[in-house]
Amino acid sequence: MKKILSVIANYKDNRQNIFDEKISPINKRYCDKHGFEYLVSDGVDTGRENPIWQKFFHVKKLLSEGELTDGDKITMLDADMVFVKDNESYETNKSFSYAIDNGNTHCMGNYTITINEWSKRMIDLMLSEERYQAYKDRELWERWAEQASWYYFVAYSLERQCIKKTQDF
C-alpha cells in the first residue's frame, strides 16, 4: 500500500516562491516523518474553465497511469496549506474523507481518498462530463466547482437512499 501526499502548485506570482521556499519543505519533512511519498505537480489540463477541478483530475490521471492502485491512499492539499503540528500522521481508513472548514462548507482543499471500487466510482461521478455539462452554468457550480459536484453527488445519493427506504416500508 502506498501513501501519497500531493499538492498542485502553479502560481504565476510570488506565491509560488512562498510555496517553494516555505510551505513545500515543511510538507516534505512531514511526509518523510510519516512515510508518505510527497508529490508536487504543476497541474493537469482539465478542459474546464475553473482550475479548482485539477485535484480530482490529478487523482484520475494517477489512477489511469497505474500510479495509484487498490488500497493506496492519496491526500490532496491546497498549495496554501501546511502541517503546523507533525506529531500525528494524517491518515484515515475511510474511502473518502474531507474537512468542513470554518465557513461550514465541505472543503475540497484537503481530502484523502483510499483507492477502492467505491472511491473510483465516486471520482468518475465527480468528474462526469455529462453532469458537468448539465450543471456548469448554475451559480453553485460556477462558484464552487468540485465542491458543487460533491454537494450534488451527496444529495442525489441521499435522495436515492431515502426513496429506497420508503419503498422498503
Side-chain angles (χ1 to χ4, degrees):
M1 176 195 74
K2 185 186 303 187
K3 298 187 309 186
I4 298 174
L5 175 71
S6 189
V7 179
I8 296 173
N10 189 12
Y11 295 110
K12 305 297 184 207
D13 55 25
N14 191 48
R15 291 176 296 172
Q16 188 65 42
N17 291 335
I18 294 168
F19 174 79
D20 292 338
E21 296 170 12
K22 305 289 185 191
I23 295 173
S24 191
I26 294 169
N27 288 340
K28 175 74 170 110
R29 281 193 305 271
Y30 172 87
C31 288
D32 291 344
K33 181 175 183 174
H34 293 287
F36 283 81
E37 177 184 331
Y38 186 48
L39 180 60
V40 177
S41 171
D42 63 359
V44 295
D45 180 18
T46 68
R48 297 188 177 171
E49 295 82 13
N50 193 330
I52 291 172
W53 287 99
Q54 288 191 61
K55 288 191 298 294
F56 272 96
F57 276 96
H58 175 65
V59 173
K60 181 75 173 176
K61 181 178 181 224
L62 292 173
L63 279 165
S64 69
E65 293 173 348
E67 293 295 320
L68 288 171
T69 59
D70 284 356
D72 291 345
K73 296 175 190 282
I74 184 162
T75 298
M76 296 296 305
L77 289 183
D78 278 354
D80 61 354
M81 297 176 81
V82 67
F83 289 96
V84 176
K85 296 181 179 180
D86 71 352
N87 56 331
E88 292 188 37
S89 185
Y90 188 68
E91 295 183 56
T92 182
N93 292 324
K94 298 179 187 274
S95 295
F96 181 61
S97 62
Y98 60 96
I100 303 293
D101 65 19
N102 63 358
N104 201 29
T105 63
H106 297 233
C107 180
M108 293 294 136
N110 143 19
Y111 58 80
T112 299
I113 298 173
T114 300
I115 305 302
N116 57 39
E117 289 306 313
W118 184 91
S119 63
K120 288 186 276 190
R121 179 72 177 129
M122 181 215 46
I123 293 165
D124 288 342
L125 287 170
M126 290 286 289
L127 298 177
S128 163
E129 188 63 23
E130 181 181 344
R131 288 178 71 238
Y132 176 72
Q133 291 300 327
Y135 299 120
K136 71 177 184 165
D137 295 325
R138 294 184 182 197
E139 183 180 350
L140 182 69
W141 279 60
E142 287 176 353
R143 182 172 181 198
W144 296 107
E146 65 186 3
Q147 282 180 234
S149 184
W150 175 249
Y151 294 151
Y152 277 61
F153 174 68
V154 171
Y156 176 74
S157 297
L158 290 174
E159 179 183 46
R160 285 180 50 120
Q161 289 176 18
C162 289
I163 289 170
K164 181 176 178 355
K165 287 185 188 253
T166 303
Q167 291 171 346
D168 290 345
F169 280 124

